[in-house]
Amino acid sequence: MPLIALTGGIASGKSTIARRLAEHGAVVIDADALVRELQQPGQPVLAAIAAEFGDGVLTPSGELDRAALGAMVFGDPERLARLNGIVHPAVKAESQRRFRAALDADPDAVVVYDVPLLAEARGTGEWDRVVVAHAPADVRVARMIEHRGMTEQDARSRVARQVSDEERLALADVVIDTSGTIDDTLAQADALWRELRG
């Protein structure tokens, strides 16, 4: 079972690649979706976040108030580290459980872990391949302005808060250049699939 880490900066086209690999039959496990699941009411992670940061990070209905939590940890490395200390181990444990379940269901499965913050989490070692979706920062900024309605300043700020392209590319076994057309990106994803299945 190949275990693939798929990563990339914001607006890099990573989700397009993940969808294409899923269409081919890959089991795609989305790290962001895992985080959202683990932060649902009734989950130990949400209880731990509330215990650490106070009930002000909860909405009146008991859900996580992401904006309130974000305001609390943004620009405060110590608080962010405490939050990551709660969330990251839980996500790692749940992702490992899902990798094992995919293997148990189909020993020949290709499992793709769609993980935006691979470089930030220093998560290397267990992957058969690290695939990086890459487009220059200016291309990604233009996409965020066009497709997400962000201002240029907001878009550049989001890019600047992530690790550099150089740090991300240093992890790569495979780079998919997403700066061209969608068809170019899909063709590279198709070629990767053929290599993984070959």
Side-chain angles (χ1 to χ4, degrees):
M1 175 188 79
L3 184 56
I4 309 302
L6 171 61
T7 193
I10 187 169
S12 65
K14 179 178 58 60
S15 297
T16 299
I17 296 165
R19 277 193 302 273
R20 185 60 156 213
L21 294 173
E23 287 169 8
H24 283 300
V27 177
V28 177
I29 297 167
D30 183 331
D32 284 345
L34 277 186
V35 170
R36 288 190 295 275
E37 286 177 36
L38 293 170
Q39 292 175 344
Q40 290 298 310
Q43 293 290 330
V45 168
L46 182 59
I49 291 171
E52 178 69 36
F53 295 101
D55 288 341
V57 298
L58 300 177
T59 66
S61 63
E63 296 182 347
L64 181 64
D65 184 335
R66 294 180 195 288
L69 180 61
M72 197 174 283
V73 302
F74 182 69
D76 187 330
E78 183 184 316
R79 280 183 169 170
L80 181 60
R82 293 202 322 260
L83 176 62
N84 288 340
I86 295 167
V87 175
H88 287 178
V91 170
K92 181 166 187 170
E94 179 60 17
S95 63
Q96 294 288 338
R97 188 190 70 73
R98 294 191 187 195
F99 300 158
R100 284 191 302 275
L103 175 60
D104 290 345
D106 178 3
D108 294 323
V110 173
V111 178
V112 176
Y113 191 37
D114 180 345
V115 55
L117 302 181
L118 183 70
E120 288 85 341
R122 304 292 181 256
T124 57
E126 65 186 299
W127 316 111
D128 294 303
R129 295 234 178 67
V130 174
V131 178
V132 174
H134 175 68
D138 285 344
V139 171
R140 293 185 284 131
V141 166
R143 287 175 182 164
M144 285 185 272
I145 294 168
E146 181 180 350
H147 301 297
R148 302 184 189 188
M150 289 184 172
T151 66
E152 181 173 352
Q153 182 178 350
D154 285 346
R156 291 198 181 281
S157 172
R158 293 286 292 277
V159 169
R161 287 201 302 263
Q162 296 187 326
V163 300
S164 69
D165 289 345
E166 291 72 24
E167 288 175 89
R168 200 176 293 108
L169 289 167
L171 300 176
D173 298 306
V174 177
V175 176
I176 294 184
D177 178 358
T178 62
S179 59
T181 66
I182 290 273
D183 286 343
D184 290 340
T185 297
L186 295 177
Q188 292 173 78
D190 293 345
L192 172 63
W193 179 258
R194 287 192 298 272
E195 179 195 333
L196 294 172
R197 297 312 279 170

